[in-house]
Amino acid sequence: MKFQKRLLRAEPNFQILTKLWQVNWLYVILICALAVVGYVALYSAGGGTSRPFAGPQSIRFCFGVVMMLGIALMSPAILVRLAWPLYIFSLILLVAVLRMGHVGKGAERWLMLGGMQVQPSELAKIALVLMLAAWFHKISYRSMGNPLLLIPPALMVLVPVALVLKEPNLGTAVIIGTVGASMFFGAGMRLWQIALLILPVPMLARIAYSHLHDYQKARVTTFLHPESDPLGAGYNIIQSKIALGSGGMWGQGYLHGTQGQLNFLPEKQTDFIFTMIAEEWGYVGGVTVIGMLLLLVFGGMLIAMRSRNQFGRLLGLGISMNFFLYCAVNLSMVMGAIPVGGVPLPLISYGGSAMLMVMFGFGLLMSAWVHRNATFGETTPGEKD
Amino acid sequence: MKLRKKKSGNRLMSRPEEGKNPSRGVFTRRALLLMAAQGAVLGALGERLYGLQVLNGSHYAKLAENNRLSKRFFAPPRGRITDRFGISVAANRVNWRALLLAEETSDIPGTLERFAQLVPLEPRDTTRIEHELRHKRRFIPIMLRDFLSWDDMARLELNMPSLPGVLIDVGTTRVYPFGPLLAHVVGYVAPPAEKDVVHNAELALPGMRVGRSGIEQTQDASLRGQVGSVEMEVNAVGRVMAELDRDEGLAGDEITLTIDSGLQQQVLGRIADQSASAVVMDCRNGEVLAMVSNPSFDPSLFDSGVSQAQWIEWTNNSQTPLINKAVSGLYPPGSTFKPAVAMAALRAGTLSPSDRISCPGYIDVGGTRFHCWSRYGHGSINLRQGLKYSCDVFFYEVARRTGMDAIAATSELFGLGARLPEIELPHVRQGLIPTPTWRRAHGHHWNGGDTIVSGIGQGFVQVTPLQLATYASRIATGRAVQPHLIRSVAGRLAGLTDLGHATDMDMPGTFFEDIRAGMYAVVNEEGGTAPKARLDIPGVQMAGKTGSAQVRRVSRAMRESGHFNSANLPWEYRPHALFICYAPYDAPRYATAVVIEHGNAGADVAAPLARDIMTDTLRRDPVNHREPPGQEVAQAEVD
C-alpha cells in the first residue's frame, strides 16, 4: 500500500497503471471463467459450431471486458456526476420503446438503434443502481430517518418500474423493484419504515394481478398446469424439466444432449441455456455453474462491504443484487419453479444488450473496488467533491 | 489528484468516528443478511436441481427417451353441420398437402428449392412460407402446397430422401354442398388471422380454420374439436423411424340445425330474384325451419381468400348479398305492427274489443292531419275490423290513447326491437321501438305526432324479419317462444327445442283471441286486406297481417293528386312489402315473416309469397311424411 501511494505521488502519470493493478483480478478471472462456460454452451446450442451463437457472443464479451476495465478506472466522483444524465437517458429510451418499440411476442421490449436491437430495460437497471447509490451517498446515513428524503429515491424506482410494466415485462419490473428495495435496505432505511412498507404488499399484489395482461395470467395458469397447454406456454416448461432431468448426475455428454440437440428446447441459446448445460453436463455441471454464479454474487457483496464510502457500498450491493436476481429468476424459471418470463442467464445466455449491461455493471463494481478507500462528499450534502 | 486530497481531508475530519461509522456498520450487517438470503435461494435451486436430476433422473430420462418419440400435432376434422334431417350443409373434403417441419431440416432454403423443382410454388406461396418460417415455432409444420394431385404426391414420395423435413399429410377443407342457399345461416370459415394465433397456439397448425360468420362463427369452439397428435420415433438427427402412437384428437362436434334444407330451397325458389328475406318458424318451440336472405354468396370462396374484384362487387351491391337480412336487416314494420299496438291498448285498458272508432279517412292531431291509407275512410269500426281493414286512423287513435311507453313495453315482450338471446348468429341487430325517453336521450323532443306514426309501425320503429316471425309465433301461441337454429350438438338435443320450454306470456288469453280473430279476418273474410293469402288446403286456415312500410315520406300533394302510385317510383324509394302469418289458425304450428325490400304493397306481393311458403311448409310437415321430405332434392344438390 505504502509503495503504491508513493508511486502515485511521485509519478501521477502512472495512475492508470496503478489503478489497473488495483483491479480485483481474481474476480475478473471468475467472470471470464463463466464467459467460457457460456461459450462452450453456445457452441453446443449452435449444434457444434461457433457460427450462430458462440462466436459473436465471445466478440461481445471481449468488447465488454475492455469496457469494464475502462469504467473500473473512472473515479466515483465522475460516476456520481454521470448518474443523473445516464438515468434520464435510460428513462427516455424506456419511453421511446413504448412509442416505437419493436413488438416481439406480444410485448414491446426492443428498440432498433442503428440496426441493433437494444433492450432499454437492461440499461435502466444499471442506471437506477448508479442513481440510487449517488442519492443515498449524498444524503448520509443519519438523515435516512427523515421519510421526506426517501420520497425522491422511491420515485426513481417507481418510474422505470411503471414504464417497464407498461411494455409489458413483468419479470424485469419485479427485478428492478427488488434491486431498488435492496438498496434502500442497504442504505440504512429504518426498520419501522420497512415494516410500514411491507404491510400493504399483499393487497397491492392482488390489485397487480387483476391488472395483468391475459397472456401473463395465462402464463401463471400454465405454470400451475403445464399440461393444459402443451403447444403453447406449457411446452417450454415441460421440455425444460425433461431435459434437465435426463441429464442425471453426470450428464448425457457434451454435444450429446438429445433434448437440446433435437430442438425440443425452443430458445435454448437464450433463456434455456442452463437447461442445455445441465442436460449435457449433468448435476455436477449444473451445480458447478450455480456455484460459480454464487461466488460472483458473494464476491460482489464482499467488495461492497470493503468500500469506505457509501456510494461504493451501495453500488456494489445494487450490482450484486441485480446479478443475483437475474440468476435466481432464470434458474427458477428453467427448473419450473416460477412462470417463464424472458430473463436471460447473465454472462452465459446469447444476447447483446444483456451481455454489455452485465459487463457495464461489473465495471462499476470494479470501480467501487479500485476506489474503495476513497471517502468523499459524505455527510456534507452541500459540499461539492 | 484532486480526489486524493479531498480523501485525506475527509479522513482527518472523520477520524473520531473511524471504525464505528454507523452507516458502515449497518451496511455490513444488512449486507450479510442479504448474502444469507442470496445463498439460501441459490442453495435451494441447487437442491431443486438435485431433485430433478438425481432423485428423479431416471423418471425424466424415460420421458426424454419418449421425447425421441417426437410428437406432431395436427388439426382435427371440423365438425359437420347438418340440417334437421341430417343432410350435410357444411362438410369436409379430403385435401392432400405437403408440409415442412422446420426443426427437421438443417437447410431450409435448399429443401424448399428442391421441393419447388418437383412441385411448383407460386410467388404467393413463397412469400407466405417465408413469413410463416419467421413467425411459427419450429415444431409446428408449415404448409407448402395443398390439393396435391396424385402425380405430385408420387413425385414427392420418390424424392423424399432429398427432402428432409417435408411431410405429406392428409387434411381437410370445408365444403358447403348447398353453396349460397344456406350461406347466411351456416356462415363460412377462413384461415386464422395472425392475432388469433397469438391467443391460441393451436390455430397455427396447418389446415386450421376459423368460423367467420353464421353458425360457423358462433359455434366455432365446439366445431373445432381437439387437436390430435402422432408420436413418431425419431433418430438422433431427427429423421422419423416409425409411427408409434396416434391420438386422433377429437373431431369437432356435429351440429344439427333446425333448418329444413328442402324447405329452405323451396322458400328461396318462391322468392326467386327479389331482394327479400323470409323466416319460417315452428311457433310451438321456436325452431327456425327456413331463414332465407336473398341475394346470397358462395361461402366456399372464403376458404382460399376472396378476390378483390369479388369483394368489391359484393360490397357495392345495393341488395347487400353479404348481409343476412333476416337478422341484420332493419325495416319499419308498417301495418304488421298493428296487432302489437292493439295488445298494448287492451293491456292498458285504453281500448276494449267492442270500442268503435270512426274513420273519416284522416285524423287531426295537434294541428297536423294524418291520413288513412283509404282516402274514403272506413267509417265506424271495432278492433277486429280495424285489423281486418288495416285502418290507419283506428290505430292512430289507439296509439294516441295508449301512449308510446306502453306500446314499446308490449311490443318488446313480443320480441320487436328486443334482443333475441337464443338465436345462434353473429351480427344480430336489435332494432328499435322508440320511446320519449329514447328520443330525449338523443337530444330531441317527443311530440304527439311521433306516437301517431309509430302506431302504424312507421317513423323510428325498426325491426328485423326474425323479430317479426317471433312476434307472429308469440301471437299465435301466447307463449314467449325463443327462435333458435341449433337442434342438437353432438347428438344431444338442445333444450330450447323442448316444447315446454317457452313460458306463457303475461297477457290475458281473451286479448290474444281478439287479435287472432282480427288477423283471421285479414286473410279469410270478405274485405280483408290479404285475400291473396288464403290457403288452398281444405280445412286449414291462415291468419296474418299485411304491411307496406314507406321508406320515404309521401307528400300530401302526391296523395291528393290521386295519381300517386308507388310502383312508378325508383326501386330504392318504393315501400317495403311485409307479411306476417301463422297456420293452421285453430292449432298454430308454423309462423312466417316475409319482407320484400321495396316490393310495394304487402297485400299484393308479400301475402301471396307468404301463402306459398306456408303451403310448402305445411305440405312438408313430418306428420304427412314417413321419410324426411326433400331427401332426394338435397342429395341431388350435393352431387
Side-chain angles (χ1 to χ4, degrees):
Chain A
M1 281 301 242
K2 253 180 195 162
F3 166 75
Q4 284 160 20
K5 271 182 197 160
R6 215 174 54 222
L7 193 74
L8 262 175
R9 264 186 220 115
E11 296 285 345
N13 290 341
F14 281 109
Q15 199 184 357
I16 289 178
L17 283 178
T18 319
K19 283 188 174 183
L20 265 183
W21 174 247
Q22 284 280 319
V23 165
N24 192 334
W25 288 103
L26 194 68
Y27 199 76
V28 174
I29 287 168
L30 193 55
I31 291 172
C32 291
L34 260 169
V36 169
V37 171
Y39 181 89
V40 168
L42 289 177
Y43 188 86
S44 174
T49 60
S50 62
R51 197 161 48 91
F53 309 129
Q57 188 75 352
S58 55
I59 291 167
R60 284 180 199 139
F61 177 71
C62 293
F63 183 73
V65 169
V66 173
M67 184 179 71
M68 174 181 77
L69 292 177
I71 294 165
L73 302 181
M74 290 167 104
S75 85
I78 295 174
L79 292 179
V80 166
R81 253 177 274 159
L82 271 178
W84 266 113
L86 195 67
Y87 178 76
I88 298 290
F89 178 63
S90 75
L91 288 190
I92 291 172
L93 285 190
L94 280 181
V95 173
V97 85
L98 290 177
R99 283 289 154 113
M100 51 192 181
H102 173 78
V103 177
K105 291 174 199 150
E108 295 175 70
R109 290 175 189 173
W110 292 274
L111 209 57
M112 294 298 290
L113 277 187
M116 202 179 92
Q117 280 193 349
V118 187
Q119 201 168 343
S121 52
E122 299 282 350
L123 176 66
K125 258 172 293 191
I126 303 296
L128 176 70
V129 169
L130 196 58
M131 187 69 237
L132 288 178
W135 175 270
F136 286 125
H137 179 76
K138 284 196 171 164
I139 69 166
S140 91
Y141 170 72
R142 263 178 218 85
S143 36
M144 287 293 289
N146 179 359
L148 286 180
L149 284 173
L150 294 183
I151 291 172
L155 288 176
M156 285 173 202
V157 179
L158 291 178
V159 171
V161 165
L163 289 173
V164 171
L165 267 182
K166 191 113 180 92
E167 282 182 12
N169 188 344
L170 183 63
T172 304
V174 169
I175 290 182
I176 295 180
T178 314
V179 168
S182 72
M183 290 184 71
F184 273 72
F185 183 66
M189 190 181 181
R190 302 293 185 263
L191 289 173
W192 62 266
Q193 291 170 337
I194 295 171
L196 214 65
L197 281 182
I198 288 177
L199 283 176
V201 162
M203 206 177 72
L204 288 176
R206 191 167 301 166
I207 295 171
Y209 181 80
S210 64
H211 281 85
L212 285 187
H213 282 245
D214 282 344
Y215 86 94
Q216 288 169 327
K217 284 185 186 169
R219 243 185 223 159
V220 176
T221 45
T222 50
F223 157 66
L224 295 171
H225 309 281
E227 287 75 17
S228 68
D229 184 17
L231 270 143
Y235 186 86
N236 291 356
I237 300 172
I238 296 170
Q239 296 299 339
S240 178
K241 278 168 80 172
I242 291 176
L244 282 174
S246 67
M249 180 59 99
W250 300 102
Q252 299 201 10
Y254 187 51
L255 300 178
H256 287 100
T258 51
Q259 305 299 295
Q261 298 299 337
L262 289 180
N263 290 320
F264 287 112
L265 274 177
E267 299 165 65
K268 57 179 185 253
Q269 76 278 13
T270 55
D271 292 2
F272 288 91
I273 191 74
F274 181 80
T275 312
M276 183 103 195
I277 295 172
E279 184 191 16
E280 299 193 342
W281 301 92
Y283 178 66
V284 176
V287 122
T288 307
V289 171
I290 294 180
M292 290 167 81
L293 295 170
L294 189 66
L295 279 181
L296 271 180
V297 173
F298 278 9
M301 296 296 282
L302 292 174
I303 287 173
M305 283 188 248
R306 283 286 300 276
S307 176
R308 294 171 63 87
N309 57 69
Q310 186 76 330
F311 178 70
R313 284 194 283 266
L314 289 175
L315 204 53
L317 176 102
I319 300 295
S320 308
M321 264 317 272
N322 186 29
F323 184 81
F324 159 75
L325 284 171
Y326 256 66
C327 301
V329 169
N330 177 273
L331 293 176
S332 315
M333 209 169 83
V334 300
M335 291 184 208
I338 59 166
V340 176
V343 173
L345 189 61
L347 289 173
I348 300 181
S349 285
Y350 180 78
S353 34
M355 167 64 92
L356 288 183
M357 282 308 130
V358 165
M359 295 308 282
F360 185 16
F362 282 138
L364 294 175
L365 187 68
M366 274 308 118
S367 164
W369 171 258
V370 170
H371 305 92
R372 63 188 175 279
N373 285 325
T375 54
F376 68 103
E378 232 168 325
T379 71
T380 48
E383 190 190 342
K384 286 253 172 127
D385 49 321
Chain B
M1 282 305 271
K2 196 181 162 199
L3 175 80
R4 209 164 41 77
K5 269 183 201 157
K6 193 60 66 185
K7 187 167 78 180
S8 51
N10 268 345
R11 217 186 231 175
L12 276 172
M13 274 165 63
S14 60
R15 179 153 291 157
E17 283 195 1
E18 182 97 291
K20 44 179 179 163
N21 180 339
S23 82
R24 192 171 186 183
V26 166
F27 181 85
T28 305
R29 278 199 301 280
R30 292 191 173 183
L32 285 171
L33 216 68
L34 282 179
M35 282 171 76
Q38 290 167 337
V41 169
L42 288 184
L45 286 171
E47 209 272 333
R48 190 179 168 91
L49 191 63
Y50 186 79
L52 280 170
Q53 295 201 284
V54 182
L55 297 184
N56 293 315
S58 57
H59 165 69
Y60 284 111
K62 212 176 292 163
L63 284 179
E65 188 57 35
N66 287 339
N67 237 348
R68 299 182 140 222
L69 326 170
S70 148
K71 218 171 184 184
R72 202 153 294 155
F73 300 93
F74 60 85
R78 197 173 168 85
R80 239 167 33 114
I81 304 176
T82 72
D83 84 344
R84 63 187 293 117
F85 300 117
I87 300 163
S88 282
V89 297
N92 301 310
R93 182 153 60 107
V94 167
N95 169 20
W96 288 94
R97 59 199 176 187
L99 308 177
L100 175 71
L101 202 53
E103 69 174 12
E104 287 190 357
T105 170
S106 49
D107 176 21
I108 293 171
T111 306
L112 283 176
E113 198 178 307
R114 282 189 296 277
F115 180 87
Q117 282 164 5
L118 298 166
V119 179
L121 291 171
E122 306 272 316
R124 204 171 82 145
D125 290 326
T126 322
T127 48
R128 178 184 53 80
I129 291 166
E130 278 169 7
H131 179 84
E132 292 191 7
L133 275 172
R134 274 197 304 276
H135 289 89
K136 281 189 178 174
R137 310 179 76 164
R138 286 170 62 83
F139 59 89
I140 288 177
I142 289 163
M143 197 182 65
L144 299 176
R145 265 282 312 271
D146 59 355
F147 297 113
L148 292 174
S149 67
W150 283 110
D151 284 353
D152 291 336
M153 272 158 46
R155 238 174 300 139
L156 287 174
E157 286 290 357
L158 208 63
N159 289 281
M160 268 307 169
S162 65
L163 295 168
V166 174
L167 331 160
I168 292 180
D169 170 84
V170 58
T172 57
T173 48
R174 203 67 159 163
V175 281
Y176 299 99
F178 290 96
L181 178 69
L182 281 156
H184 290 120
V185 173
V186 175
Y188 56 86
V189 293
E194 239 165 87
K195 63 174 174 16
D196 298 319
V197 179
V198 171
H199 295 296
N200 186 349
E202 287 182 354
L203 291 179
L205 293 173
M208 270 297 201
R209 290 289 183 270
V210 177
R212 289 293 187 218
S213 166
I215 296 288
E216 292 271 30
Q217 180 181 339
T218 58
Q219 309 302 308
D220 199 28
S222 90
L223 286 167
R224 207 183 277 159
Q226 265 173 38
V227 169
S229 59
V230 203
E231 272 186 1
M232 320 260 210
E233 190 178 25
V234 289
N235 67 9
V237 291
R239 178 158 309 289
V240 175
M241 308 303 283
E243 183 182 313
L244 294 171
D245 192 19
R246 202 177 176 90
D247 170 9
E248 290 294 347
L250 262 177
D253 289 336
E254 178 168 316
I255 288 181
T256 304
L257 302 179
T258 58
I259 295 283
D260 171 353
S261 55
L263 178 62
Q264 178 91 359
Q265 239 163 1
Q266 285 176 304
V267 173
L268 182 64
R270 298 292 187 188
I271 287 176
D273 56 356
Q274 302 175 87
S275 177
S277 66
V279 177
V280 179
M281 267 171 71
D282 185 325
C283 62
R284 300 173 310 163
N285 60 8
E287 287 188 340
V288 177
L289 295 166
M291 180 186 275
V292 175
S293 174
N294 197 52
S296 185
F297 61 93
D298 183 357
S300 43
L301 292 178
F302 285 89
D303 193 76
S304 48
V306 173
S307 74
Q308 188 76 10
Q310 176 69 77
W311 185 256
I312 288 170
E313 190 198 313
W314 278 337
T315 45
N316 285 350
N317 189 335
S318 62
Q319 302 191 348
T320 60
L322 289 181
I323 291 171
N324 183 357
K325 295 184 181 104
V327 295
S328 309
L330 293 179
Y331 306 94
S335 301
T336 61
F337 193 53
K338 287 170 182 170
V341 175
M343 179 59 96
L346 291 172
R347 289 179 77 208
T350 52
L351 178 77
S352 87
S354 55
D355 280 357
R356 301 192 82 82
I357 292 169
S358 171
C359 167
Y362 59 85
I363 187 173
D364 289 316
V365 179
T368 312
R369 179 160 289 191
F370 295 88
H371 291 271
C372 189
W373 64 267
S374 161
R375 298 176 70 189
Y376 313 105
H378 293 102
S380 172
I381 53 175
N382 63 11
L383 168 60
R384 182 187 164 89
Q385 289 161 317
L387 284 169
K388 175 180 168 186
Y389 301 129
S390 196
C391 172
D392 289 339
V393 168
F394 185 90
F395 284 97
Y396 290 146
E397 171 62 16
V398 168
R400 190 190 62 75
R401 289 184 196 170
T402 310
M404 205 53 215
D405 286 318
I407 294 174
T410 300
S411 47
E412 274 166 28
L413 289 178
F414 279 114
L416 297 171
R419 229 166 55 78
L420 295 172
E422 308 299 346
I423 192 74
E424 301 91 344
L425 288 177
H427 316 301
V428 174
R429 299 189 66 179
Q430 194 180 332
L432 175 75
I433 306 297
T435 59
T437 324
W438 167 81
R439 192 76 177 129
R440 268 196 299 280
H442 287 74
H444 297 281
H445 179 68
W446 182 268
N447 42 49
D450 290 328
T451 308
I452 305 297
V453 295
S454 299
I456 59 158
Q458 294 281 169
F460 302 110
V461 186
Q462 284 193 317
V463 301
T464 65
L466 180 71
Q467 286 174 343
L468 286 174
T470 308
Y471 164 51
S473 299
R474 292 182 181 179
I475 291 174
T477 60
R479 294 161 69 232
V481 178
Q482 287 290 357
H484 60 278
L485 276 165
I486 292 180
R487 190 169 158 76
S488 71
V489 176
R492 290 182 303 278
L493 210 61
L496 283 168
T497 287
D498 185 3
L499 281 182
H501 192 84
T503 52
D504 279 341
M505 309 237 306
D506 183 21
M507 299 170 199
T510 55
F511 294 176
F512 277 108
E513 290 307 325
D514 294 327
I515 288 164
R516 287 175 197 148
M519 288 172 68
Y520 174 85
V522 167
V523 177
N524 299 295
E525 282 181 9
E526 201 66 35
T529 54
K532 289 177 182 171
R534 204 165 299 164
L535 288 179
D536 197 15
I537 306 173
V540 181
Q541 281 91 35
M542 180 156 102
K545 184 73 198 77
T546 50
S548 307
Q550 265 142 29
V551 292
R552 207 181 81 136
R553 229 188 143 80
V554 179
S555 75
R556 185 156 30 145
M558 286 165 79
R559 190 187 302 279
E560 287 180 352
S561 72
H563 307 302
F564 173 70
N565 183 351
S566 58
N568 296 336
L569 290 170
W571 181 76
E572 59 268 34
Y573 292 140
R574 293 179 200 163
H576 298 310
L578 301 95
F579 198 75
I580 59 167
C581 57
Y582 64 89
Y585 172 70
D586 45 3
R589 184 82 167 84
Y590 300 107
T592 295
V594 174
V595 177
I596 301 162
E597 290 187 337
H598 311 293
N600 270 328
D604 295 336
V605 190
L609 179 60
R611 177 203 59 205
D612 292 343
I613 290 172
M614 189 59 84
T615 307
D616 293 339
T617 309
L618 289 167
R619 292 233 164 97
R620 294 179 67 83
D621 192 308
V623 174
N624 302 328
H625 300 268
R626 294 224 168 259
E627 288 296 306
Q631 192 85 298
E632 62 281 20
V633 186
Q635 287 304 323
E637 196 64 23
V638 176
D639 301 330

